[in-house]
Amino acid sequence: MHQILRRGYATRAIPRHKDPLIHSSNAVHVTLPEGVTFIHRPPPSAPTPESLATNPSSPLLRPLVKATESSTLPPSVRNATYSNQSNHLTAAQIEEIQQLRRTNPQVNTVSALAKKFNCAKIFVSSVAPLDKESRAKREEALRKRDERSGENRKIAKAVRQKRRELW
């Protein structure tokens, strides 16, 4: 019984491609003393539009462009109604806010008074804070609402409170 042995690999030589730098007309060849050949080829005269040197992919690498008056600006981040609000109310208006807040805090909320007098909510809350009775009623209502909440919500609230304590 004879077995035929065959090679499992190619027997011909692997083709080697010629180096394009050796035959380039604009490449400069310099042989260094260590026996190393240094080849310098200048860049093309006009860079391609996809070139990362002239058109980097990251906006941080792009050159800064000075803003001109004719350039368009992005839309404002703040709401236009916020910029029109004025916290400079007269003493009479501040007294009226305080009186309205004392008489009926359920109707005259911070939001309603801020809208009525065209001022910021934080300004209304600092000028006319809730009295102790109204604050106690509100906290009681919140406590009752929290009692009706489910187990997961109670656990999440306890975790948040514990996290705040550890700050």
Side-chain angles (χ1 to χ4, degrees):
M1 210 174 191
H2 285 73
Q3 286 185 332
I4 299 176
L5 298 173
R6 291 187 207 159
R7 280 189 219 146
Y9 54 90
T11 56
R12 65 184 181 131
I14 299 172
R16 304 259 184 226
H17 298 288
K18 292 182 179 180
D19 189 0
L21 290 177
I22 294 173
H23 302 292
S24 176
S25 61
N26 60 354
V28 179
H29 299 269
V30 178
T31 305
L32 300 176
E34 293 86 23
V36 178
T37 304
F38 179 76
I39 302 172
H40 172 68
R41 183 171 57 180
S45 59
T48 63
E50 295 82 21
S51 172
L52 294 178
T54 58
N55 186 17
S57 58
S58 172
L60 298 175
L61 298 175
R62 292 187 187 133
L64 292 175
V65 179
K66 296 202 175 198
T68 60
E69 291 180 19
S70 63
S71 67
T72 59
L73 296 175
S76 177
V77 175
R78 287 198 168 165
N79 199 353
T81 58
Y82 182 81
S83 62
N84 295 336
Q85 294 174 345
S86 171
N87 291 342
H88 305 290
L89 300 177
T90 63
Q93 289 175 320
I94 291 174
E95 184 62 36
E96 185 181 355
I97 289 174
Q98 292 170 344
Q99 191 267 334
L100 288 171
R101 190 87 165 126
R102 273 192 304 262
T103 56
N104 195 351
Q106 284 75 26
V107 174
N108 298 314
T109 61
V110 171
S111 300
L113 291 173
K115 190 178 279 186
K116 181 178 179 181
F117 289 94
N118 192 25
C119 61
K121 294 177 188 177
I122 189 104
F123 178 75
V124 174
S125 63
S126 66
V127 171
L130 271 177
D131 58 340
K132 290 183 180 180
E133 296 172 4
S134 300
R135 183 173 286 134
K137 286 180 186 176
R138 183 180 176 134
E139 288 175 0
E140 181 65 26
L142 289 174
R143 191 184 58 74
K144 285 182 181 178
R145 187 194 70 189
D146 289 344
E147 285 177 357
R148 292 180 300 179
S149 61
E151 192 65 30
N152 287 340
R153 186 175 290 238
K154 288 179 184 177
I155 292 171
K157 186 171 183 176
V159 167
R160 279 195 305 270
Q161 287 175 345
K162 185 67 174 178
R163 195 179 306 134
R164 282 190 202 112
E165 289 173 10
L166 296 175
W167 281 353

